[in-house]
Amino acid sequence: MTFDRTLPPTLAALAALPFDYADGDGIDFEPYDQFLSAEDTGAWIRAWTGNDDLDGAAYRVFGQDGSGGYAALWLTRAAQPLEAQPVVMFGSEGELGVVAGSVRDFVWLLAAGVGPYEATSYGAEAARAAQPALAAFAATLGDPRDPAAIIADARAEFPTFEDDLRALCR
């Protein structure tokens, strides 16, 4: 399996912005400048699930948190562009969940100070300080969205994501 590793425009622009962990007061997210390779994605999903039958074709990993958990696009919306796919998180300690319904919504979460791990594990109430550079970038993508609504909408749209993935674990 191979695929284009080029990030879509919004993720590429996001990767060019500064991210500061700020000793725990900032965003715990490190964007990549390209998707993880197909080979590495396949090896990772097999290791994460313990399931050697998986190839990772449904995911495009585009960043990680400080513990090594991955943020990925989940290619579940047939015939939709990459930026319209939901963002999911696979934590290094087994955390798992849908973070946002699209790349645009994911950027608004980051702007509000909510990283992918925080969105998955704690929800919008885990927001750290708002991120002015990310907020300025998010504003170029359209009207703001409430972080709690972003997370709630994504979970409501994909309520079985976590159970379905855990069913694949060996």
Side-chain angles (χ1 to χ4, degrees), residues 8 84 133 158:
F158 304 104

Side-chain angles (χ1 to χ4, degrees), residues 49-60:
T49 62
N51 187 337
D52 290 337
D53 295 331
L54 300 178
D55 64 6
Y59 303 99
R60 299 295 180 272

Side-chain angles (χ1 to χ4, degrees), residues 9 19 30 47 56 58 61 70 81-82 105-106 110 131 133 140 142 150-151 163 169:
F19 281 78
E30 302 168 30
V61 177
Y70 283 149
L82 290 173
D105 283 352
F106 178 68
L110 294 173
Q131 305 294 306
T140 69
I150 290 170
I151 295 167
D163 290 340
C169 293

Side-chain angles (χ1 to χ4, degrees), residues 24-98:
D25 291 327
I27 295 289
D28 184 11
F29 180 66
E30 302 168 30
Y32 297 158
D33 59 4
Q34 61 184 357
F35 289 122
L36 199 64
S37 72
E39 294 77 20
D40 288 343
T41 301
W44 153 74
I45 196 71
R46 287 187 294 276
W48 200 93
T49 62
N51 187 337
D52 290 337
D53 295 331
L54 300 178
D55 64 6
Y59 303 99
R60 299 295 180 272
V61 177
F62 66 88
Q64 69 179 52
D65 67 10
S67 72
Y70 283 149
L73 297 179
W74 174 34
L75 309 183
T76 189
R77 293 184 176 130
Q80 292 294 312
L82 290 173
E83 292 187 357
Q85 302 297 333
V87 174
V88 295
M89 175 70 183
F90 291 83
S92 64
E93 301 299 320
E95 306 87 357
L96 177 66
V98 179

